């Protein structure tokens, strides 16, 4: 397992394909990191599907409203259209590039619309730089992310089994 230097700023994500370890960037995107940790600690991401997965681009998940298997509002046809009951976040764009393993927040056309959805880059995506809030980097398990079923939408999607802050594990 990857060496975890800061358990309070590390995410342990178990997916239907295996384990992924994500280092958080609280200095880069403090509001987004706080939201990811808050939702993880609430168990909000547990059971959430990867609803949009594009080969050679990214895997998107995090719709805790419509994308959570077993949730009250689970609706595979609407997965990707929802968020959490928390307010949207103010953009925290940075010069940190979107490279393989980058974790960044999904949003609508409005820069200040990120809420709970996020994506993990399969490959470098420089056109996203300075337009999406980067909050973390996969430090172990990109081979797992590579195995997530592709599609827009994904038929019988993979999901997050559990997502925890390492300090709580």
């Amino acid at each position: 397992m990857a060496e975890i230097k800061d358990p309070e700023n590390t995410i342990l994500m178990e997916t239907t394909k295996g384990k992924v370890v994500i280092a958080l960037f609280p200095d880069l995107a403090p509001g987004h990191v706080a939201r990811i940790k808050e939702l993880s600690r609430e168990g909000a991401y547990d059971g959430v599907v990867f609803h949009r997965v594009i080969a050679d681009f990214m895997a998107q998940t995090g719709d805790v409203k419509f994308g959570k298997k077993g949730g009250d509002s689970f609706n595979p046809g609407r997965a990707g259209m929802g968020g959490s009951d928390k307010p949207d976040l103010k953009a925290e764009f940075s010069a940190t590039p979107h490279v393989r393993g980058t974790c960044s927040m999904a949003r609508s056309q409005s820069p200040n619309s990120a809420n709970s959805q996020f994506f993990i880059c399969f490959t470098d995506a420089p056109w996203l730089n300075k337009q999406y809030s980067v909050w973390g980097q996969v430090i172990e398990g990109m081979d797992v992310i590579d195995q997530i079923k592709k599609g827009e939408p994904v038929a019988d999607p993979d999901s997050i089994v559990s997502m925890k802050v390492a300090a709580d594990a």
Side-chain angles (χ1 to χ4, degrees), residues 28-32 88-94 105 107 110-114 130-134:
L28 195 64
H32 290 75
D88 288 347
L89 297 164
K90 185 173 181 348
E92 294 175 310
F93 300 158
S94 69
M105 290 304 267
R107 62 172 178 82
S110 168
N112 300 316
S113 61
K130 299 181 184 175
Q131 296 185 54
Y132 291 82
S133 298
V134 174

Side-chain angles (χ1 to χ4, degrees), residues 7 10 38 42 50 100 124 126-127 130 163:
T10 304
E38 179 183 20
E42 291 173 358
F50 285 88
R100 177 169 167 77
D124 296 0
W127 62 92
K130 299 181 184 175
M163 191 158 146

Side-chain angles (χ1 to χ4, degrees), residues 52 54-58 96-99 107 119 121-132:
R52 182 172 178 243
I54 303 170
D56 300 319
F57 179 29
M58 59 90 216
T96 300
H98 285 76
V99 297
R107 62 172 178 82
F119 59 91
C121 294
F122 288 123
T123 188
D124 296 0
W127 62 92
L128 301 178
N129 294 350
K130 299 181 184 175
Q131 296 185 54
Y132 291 82

Side-chain angles (χ1 to χ4, degrees), residues 16-102:
T16 47
K17 294 294 190 202
K19 293 180 183 351
V20 179
V21 181
I22 301 168
L24 300 175
F25 299 153
D27 295 343
L28 195 64
H32 290 75
V33 166
R35 175 65 55 83
I36 294 291
K37 288 166 50 173
E38 179 183 20
L39 291 171
S40 294
R41 285 185 160 131
E42 291 173 358
Y45 288 123
D46 300 356
V48 174
V49 299
F50 285 88
H51 65 270
R52 182 172 178 243
V53 184
I54 303 170
D56 300 319
F57 179 29
M58 59 90 216
Q60 187 170 331
T61 185
D63 182 344
V64 301
K65 182 173 184 181
F66 299 122
K68 186 177 177 86
K69 287 182 178 178
D72 294 342
S73 303
F74 178 61
N75 181 336
R78 295 200 67 199
M81 296 180 193
S84 72
D85 58 2
K86 299 171 190 330
D88 288 347
L89 297 164
K90 185 173 181 348
E92 294 175 310
F93 300 158
S94 69
T96 300
H98 285 76
V99 297
R100 177 169 167 77
T102 295

